[in-house]
Amino acid sequence: CPERFFTLWTAKEAMLKLDGRGISGGLQNARVQDFCTGILAGRTVVLNKAEWPEGLLHVATWRSVAGVELRTLATPELLPGDL
């Protein structure tokens, strides 16, 4: 199921970014427990998930936070000469 794959991928990626290694730290080293917590380097990681119609993201923290708020920022239109 693609939704499950992307949920696991983004959770593991967020955990590996939390400790500064990123994907090079090895996805196998980040264990998702229940989609709210995970284990990385023997430490518990709190996972916060935000979803919207076009995608999802996870934010990993070492301790509980109030939550994740997703905001859409307006960006000016790019003109062909701007690239």
Side-chain angles (χ1 to χ4, degrees):
C1 165
E3 293 84 14
R4 184 168 170 79
F5 169 80
F6 287 116
T7 298
L8 283 170
W9 177 275
T10 58
K12 287 180 170 232
E13 184 179 26
M15 286 194 290
L16 290 166
K17 286 180 177 179
L18 175 63
D19 87 344
R21 293 183 290 172
I23 295 297
S24 66
L27 290 171
Q28 72 278 6
N29 295 319
R31 269 191 311 133
V32 176
Q33 291 188 303
D34 58 13
F35 296 106
C36 294
T37 60
I39 300 290
L40 180 66
R43 293 180 67 185
T44 299
V45 175
V46 178
L47 295 166
N48 297 279
K49 183 170 137 182
E51 293 183 86
W52 65 101
E54 294 83 22
L56 68 98
L57 65 86
H58 277 90
V59 175
T61 58
W62 293 119
R63 56 190 132 98
S64 221
V65 295
V68 175
E69 182 180 336
L70 182 65
R71 294 183 184 188
T72 303
L73 301 176
T75 57
E77 292 292 321
L78 289 177
L79 300 173
D82 292 340
L83 300 177

